[in-house]
Amino acid sequence: MTTATVTKEITKKNGSKETFKEKFVQVDRRDAKLALAHIVVAFIALFLGGFAGLLQVFVRSGQFKLPAGINYYQILTVHGVLLGLILTTYFILGFQTAAISRTSGALSNKQRTIGWAGFWIMTIGTAASATMVLLNEASVLYTFYAPLQAHWIFYLGLALVVVGSWTVALAQGLRYIQWRKENKGQTSPLLSFMVVVNNLMWFVCTLGVAAEVLFQLLPWSLGLVERVDVLLSRTLFWYFGHALVYFWLLPAYMIWYTVVPKVIGAKIFSDSLARLAFMLFLLFSIPVGVHHQLTEPGIDGFWKFLQVVLTFFVIVPSLLTAFSMFATFEIRGRELGGKGIFGWFKKLPWKDSRFLLPFIGMAAFIPGGAGGVVNASYQMNELIHNTIWVTGHFHLAIATTVVLTYFGAAYWLIPHLTGRVLTKKMNDLAVTSGIMWTIGMFIMSGAMHIAGLFGAPRRSEYSTYGGSEQAAEWIPYQIAQAVGGTVLFIAIILIIGIVINLIWFAPKGEEEFPLAELSQGAERTPAILENFKLWGVILVALILIAYTFPIFDIINNSPLGSTGYKFW
């Protein structure tokens, strides 16, 4: 491992400041190039997907029509796929590559080659799928539900993205295994452990969508089979689709647990609690997908009930995380002299984008999580299931909580990888962009939630529904969505400008990969939390219980199946 030295400043209890030099571990430059390649693609996806989203809210406002024969569902697909799949997957794999290299040591030449192979497989798949969407041959939305039928190249591209992601994750896993062999009997680095848990969850959950694409949608789109079992395809998608949310979320948790404490000058509250939370996410994030199908006929009510119950178990690790993080904040705030019930709150570094943006993400997860409880509740889901409430929840829980945390990490990670520094000017601009993102999302997501309660549908273009009085009630909220979307796109332009500066124009220097140490008073981590064989057996058992009988019933009792439809 290589080390670098950075000048740091701390605030003492009496309010005075002291500067000192500190050595830190530098991510290997060869690994940095691999990580940065992923992150660059992620931010390209942010700009293109964000622009598609801007056009989308303009159309829904009723004040704008797309030019040149561009289809609304075409840009809706671009927006969903680029931001929901490409931005997130590339950023996560880039961040995790840097995290593994930082905590478990540089990748070997073979591991690095595997990582680059995965990157290019993903990129070829992304280009193939994007081309089909742009040619209006795959306007099937983010969920690509059958019986809407896209061009076979679109499905093949998605399959390549998944296979490529497995390959990059394999490189990270091999480095973790190597560390374990070299350090027998020792507790593995917390951040590396978290990366492996997230990758394991990703591999298990993507088996569902891989099976859907390879054995159903590809043969169907190629004309090898005439019909597709719609219910089976949707069940396989949501086996993957809900765990996908936690694949996005867990890297944000990694940053909250291991990076944010260092940024504020604190220690990790509990290594054991963090590992337990991640293992619980692994267990309960996959056998819950049927709660997205509560209105689907063909799935017995008992299995829907079971998966709803398992869904509520996922709340437990989120509550553990909330307790751990706010305990960390309070302890640090009181160390800095905070008095009274909330005096510690004022002592936190609110002007530091590396802290502020992830903190806003944490705060947004409170109403975002509450909305998730509504979505997963059998009776309340009946009210909001096919409304734009769900879209508002998604943008609050993911596009605010997760993406803002990613941005906060990018502002130190990119200069660390490029050998540059985050200047005060760029930090202030980053704070501004984060606040603008929050305001824009509050306006847009809030309007979506309210319109959803009034019955406004999701996945739909602007329509007055033949002059319907009820539809007229939605229009002011759709205009508000356009206002919020405009603010968000301005924030995206600022963010892209910051990223460009940090890659090519920021001053040369050393930016730390902040990684907190464990609190001295924390108890030793039990070895059982790293027993992947045990947790893996429990995971497989839960999946078999939750999915074996529903899928058996679907295959036995489904109708003939559907031919493909193309409405664009």
Side-chain angles (χ1 to χ4, degrees):
M1 290 186 182
T2 58
T3 60
T5 303
V6 65
T7 300
K8 301 188 73 176
E9 182 179 82
I10 61 168
T11 303
K12 293 185 174 182
K13 219 171 185 180
N14 60 10
S16 64
K17 296 184 182 295
E18 178 183 334
T19 59
F20 64 98
K21 292 187 181 295
E22 180 177 271
K23 288 186 177 181
F24 64 88
V25 177
Q26 175 76 45
V27 171
D28 185 279
R29 290 299 181 194
R30 295 165 296 177
D31 298 340
K33 290 180 180 178
L34 176 59
L36 190 62
H38 285 85
I39 291 170
V40 167
V41 174
F43 280 97
I44 292 172
L46 171 68
F47 179 77
L48 297 176
F51 182 64
L54 179 67
L55 295 177
Q56 188 184 328
V57 290
F58 278 178
V59 170
R60 284 186 65 93
S61 73
Q63 308 298 311
F64 177 78
K65 289 189 177 180
L66 292 167
I70 299 173
N71 188 300
Y72 172 79
Y73 296 98
Q74 195 175 356
I75 62 167
L76 180 54
T77 304
V78 169
H79 177 70
V81 171
L82 284 183
L83 296 189
L85 294 176
I86 304 305
L87 161 66
T88 52
T89 304
Y90 273 89
F91 184 88
I92 289 166
L93 293 176
F95 168 73
Q96 290 186 168
T97 296
I100 282 285
S101 181
R102 167 66 177 82
T103 55
S104 290
L107 302 179
S108 68
N109 290 335
K110 181 179 180 181
Q111 292 160 0
R112 199 174 297 113
T113 300
I114 293 172
W116 276 112
F119 169 80
W120 287 113
I121 292 170
M122 285 176 60
T123 304
I124 292 168
T126 299
S129 294
T131 299
M132 290 300 104
V133 176
L134 293 174
L135 292 176
N136 204 23
E137 292 289 340
S139 298
V140 291
L141 311 190
Y142 151 77
T143 50
F144 50 91
Y145 273 173
L148 294 180
Q149 188 180 67
H151 195 283
W152 65 268
I153 292 178
F154 173 79
Y155 299 123
L156 178 62
L158 292 181
L160 289 176
V161 170
V162 171
V163 172
S165 70
W166 288 348
T167 309
V168 179
L170 174 63
Q172 297 167 7
L174 290 173
R175 186 63 189 90
Y176 176 80
I177 292 170
Q178 181 183 339
W179 189 97
R180 293 290 296 271
K181 289 180 178 178
E182 295 169 349
N183 299 270
K184 290 185 178 180
Q186 295 185 37
T187 302
S188 65
L190 176 59
L191 187 53
S192 289
F193 169 85
M194 291 173 161
V195 167
V196 171
V197 171
N198 198 37
N199 284 342
L200 179 59
M201 181 181 67
W202 174 247
F203 174 73
V204 174
C205 80
T206 48
L207 291 175
V209 74
E212 178 196 7
V213 169
L214 293 176
F215 300 117
Q216 286 191 286
L217 302 184
L218 258 178
W220 178 57
S221 60
L222 284 166
L224 301 178
V225 296
E226 182 184 4
R227 296 175 178 272
V228 67
D229 186 326
V230 172
L231 182 57
L232 179 61
S233 70
R234 292 186 183 184
T235 303
L236 290 172
F237 177 87
W238 284 117
Y239 168 92
F240 151 80
H242 194 80
L244 171 65
V245 173
Y246 294 102
F247 175 66
W248 300 331
L249 183 62
L250 289 192
Y253 275 46
M254 296 178 203
I255 294 162
W256 297 355
Y257 272 114
T258 67
V259 172
V260 171
K262 178 68 172 180
V263 169
I264 67 174
K267 306 284 188 181
I268 295 173
F269 179 73
S270 171
D271 182 278
S272 301
L273 185 149
R275 291 178 198 257
L276 176 61
F278 267 65
M279 279 303 184
L280 291 177
F281 273 121
L282 175 66
L283 296 184
F284 295 116
S285 62
I286 298 173
V288 297
V290 167
H291 83 238
H292 287 264
Q293 299 174 273
L294 295 181
T295 61
E296 292 264 18
I299 299 177
D300 187 82
F302 172 79
W303 300 109
K304 292 179 181 179
F305 172 76
L306 175 66
Q307 296 210 20
V308 165
V309 171
L310 291 174
T311 300
F312 284 110
F313 276 104
V314 182
I315 298 171
V316 175
S318 293
L319 292 176
L320 291 176
T321 301
F323 169 79
S324 177
M325 293 314 305
F326 281 89
T328 300
F329 297 153
E330 182 173 357
I331 290 170
R332 180 56 179 160
R334 296 197 183 283
E335 286 177 353
L336 294 174
K339 305 294 183 182
I341 299 177
F342 297 111
W344 57 271
F345 193 75
K346 299 176 184 178
K347 298 293 183 178
L348 300 176
W350 299 109
K351 294 182 181 180
D352 190 335
S353 61
R354 302 173 304 163
F355 166 74
L356 177 64
L357 272 62
F359 183 88
I360 294 173
M362 293 180 207
F365 200 52
I366 298 171
V373 171
V374 171
N375 299 343
S377 300
Y378 204 111
Q379 290 81 2
M380 287 188 284
N381 185 274
E382 293 295 316
L383 175 67
I384 53 85
H385 178 80
N386 210 33
T387 73
I388 203 167
W389 161 287
V390 177
T391 313
H393 160 73
F394 189 83
H395 282 82
L396 188 60
I398 304 304
T400 309
T401 294
V402 170
V403 174
L404 267 184
T405 301
Y406 290 178
F407 293 159
Y411 297 146
W412 57 258
L413 179 59
I414 292 174
H416 179 88
L417 299 176
T418 57
R420 299 181 184 273
V421 294
L422 175 66
T423 62
K424 184 181 183 304
K425 182 179 178 181
M426 284 298 106
N427 176 73
D428 292 344
L429 195 59
V431 169
T432 301
S433 70
I435 293 172
M436 289 188 66
W437 185 278
T438 304
I439 293 170
M441 197 62 74
F442 176 80
I443 295 170
M444 188 180 77
S445 176
M448 288 176 172
H449 277 88
I450 296 170
L453 292 177
F454 287 152
R458 54 178 169 149
R459 306 190 184 104
S460 62
E461 193 173 358
Y462 173 80
S463 174
T464 62
Y465 294 89
S468 164
E469 185 177 337
Q470 183 180 8
E473 296 177 349
W474 308 333
I475 294 175
Y477 298 101
Q478 290 168 187
I479 293 173
Q481 291 164 33
V483 172
T486 302
V487 175
L488 280 167
F489 190 69
I490 295 171
I492 287 175
I493 293 173
L494 290 178
I495 292 162
I496 296 298
I498 296 167
V499 168
I500 290 172
N501 175 271
L502 295 178
I503 294 176
W504 289 292
F505 301 108
K508 294 280 188 179
E510 301 294 344
E511 187 73 33
E512 181 185 17
F513 188 127
L515 200 61
E517 298 175 357
L518 182 61
S519 174
Q520 292 181 350
E523 295 187 10
R524 185 175 179 179
T525 302
I528 193 173
L529 290 175
E530 292 197 284
N531 188 338
F532 282 96
K533 291 181 181 178
L534 171 64
W535 298 105
V537 168
I538 298 172
L539 172 63
V540 171
L542 285 172
I543 292 171
L544 291 176
I545 291 169
Y547 275 103
T548 302
F549 286 102
I551 289 178
F552 180 79
D553 286 344
I554 290 169
I555 293 173
N556 271 356
N557 301 315
S558 284
L560 180 62
S562 177
T563 57
Y565 289 90
K566 182 177 177 181
F567 298 116
W568 57 89

